[in-house]
Amino acid sequence: MVLSGLNGAAINKLGLAPSAVQTMMAQAGRQFEAISGVFFDAGQEARDKA
């Protein structure tokens, strides 16, 4: 999944530091991978058993 970018004005209004945004994006990426892995791994296991 690719994000097209973040809205700089929104980040500034929220008062977020660039390093905080990078940290949050990295964490979100890890969480997305973990969650999507549950769905895709389960689907692969079902195909392997068939």
Side-chain angles (χ1 to χ4, degrees):
M1 178 179 234
V2 177
L3 296 175
S4 62
L6 300 173
N7 185 308
I11 291 170
N12 289 334
K13 281 190 176 196
L14 292 171
L16 297 173
S19 61
V21 174
Q22 287 178 321
T23 300
M24 288 185 285
M25 293 301 294
Q27 180 65 28
R30 288 189 296 272
Q31 290 173 337
F32 176 81
E33 291 296 323
I35 292 167
S36 64
V38 170
F39 293 104
F40 294 118
D41 288 347
Q44 184 62 47
E45 288 176 19
R47 285 189 295 276
D48 290 345
K49 290 180 181 179

